[in-house]
Amino acid sequence: MKKSIGLMLMISFVFVIYLENTSLFSTEKWSGSEVEIAEGIAVNSVPVTQARRLNGSEIGTLAPEFSLKTLSGKSVYLSDYKGEKVLINFWAAWCAPCTKELPALEAFNKASSGVEVISINIDPEDRPKEFAEKAGISFPVLLDADDKVNTEYGVISIPTTVLIDEEGFIINKHIGALDEEGFHVFVQ
C-alpha cells in the first residue's frame, strides 16, 4: 500500500514538472497571414493577440512586475531592467541543489554578456547574506520575505530559473539545478 502511494506521488510530481515546462503559447514570430488567421481564434476565450499580452508566470506571458529589497536594503524593480534580457534564479540557502548551482550561476554571470542576472532568495530568515558573501556572488540577491514574487512566478520547487526577454515576456523556465554550460544553453 505504501509503495503504491509513493509511486502515485512520484508520478504526480513528474506530471507537474512536465506541465510546468510546457507552454500553451508559441514564442516564435508569425507572418502577417498567420496573424490575421490567429486574430479570429480564441485561446481560453481570449484572442491569441491579447493572450500574448497577459500577465502571468507561463512562457509567452508578460513577466509580473515586482519590487524587492537587496541584501543591503536597496529597492530593485523588474522594470529597472526594461530593454534587457534578464535571468531570474529563485533559491534558498538550505536548498542543497541551489547552493551547488549558485557558483555555476556566478561563473555564467562573469562569462556572459547581454543577460542581466538576478537571484531571488525565498527564505530571507536563513542567512542569505552570509551565504552570498561566502559564495562570492556579484549579481543582485533580492529577498522575497513574503513569498509574493515566487508565488506570482509559479515557483513550485527550487531552484527555478526564469528568462525574460527585452520586451518583458517570459521566454524560458527551468525547474532544477543547472551547471554553467546549462545556463548558456538556457539563455539561447
Side-chain angles (χ1 to χ4, degrees):
M1 180 68 171
K2 288 182 181 181
K3 287 183 181 180
S4 62
I5 291 173
L7 182 61
M8 299 267 298
L9 286 172
M10 183 64 83
I11 291 170
S12 298
F13 181 72
V14 170
F15 183 69
V16 167
I17 290 175
Y18 169 77
L19 288 178
E20 188 67 26
N21 284 308
T22 58
S23 173
L24 295 175
F25 306 108
S26 170
T27 57
E28 63 189 57
K29 302 291 182 194
W30 291 357
S31 69
S33 62
E34 290 170 320
V35 171
E36 291 169 9
I37 293 168
E39 285 177 345
I41 301 173
V43 175
N44 295 333
S45 301
V46 178
V48 171
T49 55
Q50 291 176 5
R52 293 174 157 247
R53 294 181 179 89
L54 295 176
N55 284 331
S57 63
E58 299 299 320
I59 293 173
T61 60
L62 192 60
E65 175 63 53
F66 62 80
S67 170
L68 293 173
K69 301 274 187 197
T70 64
L71 292 171
S72 62
K74 177 186 170 194
S75 290
V76 173
Y77 297 83
L78 177 61
S79 56
D80 293 343
Y81 297 92
K82 187 175 182 175
E84 300 178 62
K85 191 179 273 189
V86 180
L87 182 147
I88 302 174
N89 182 264
F90 293 88
W91 67 282
W94 49 259
C95 165
C98 299
T99 59
K100 289 180 182 175
E101 179 184 58
L102 283 173
L105 183 55
E106 176 63 21
F108 164 80
N109 183 48
K110 288 181 177 176
S112 179
S113 62
V115 179
E116 294 293 326
V117 174
I118 301 172
S119 70
I120 297 180
N121 181 279
I122 67 164
D123 189 5
E125 301 295 319
D126 192 31
R127 311 173 329 272
K129 185 173 185 174
E130 176 185 321
F131 181 81
E133 288 172 354
K134 185 178 176 183
I137 294 172
S138 62
F139 47 81
V141 175
L142 309 180
L143 306 173
D144 190 10
D146 59 5
D147 291 329
K148 183 178 177 189
V149 177
N150 78 66
T151 300
E152 287 179 346
Y153 277 78
V155 175
I156 60 170
S157 181
I158 55 173
T160 291
T161 305
V162 176
L163 184 63
I164 301 170
D165 71 8
E166 297 84 351
E167 296 176 9
F169 287 92
I170 296 173
I171 58 173
N172 206 350
K173 189 172 186 178
H174 179 80
I175 299 170
L178 293 166
D179 59 13
E180 183 182 352
E181 183 181 343
F183 282 113
H184 286 284
V185 171
F186 179 76
V187 299
Q188 292 182 5

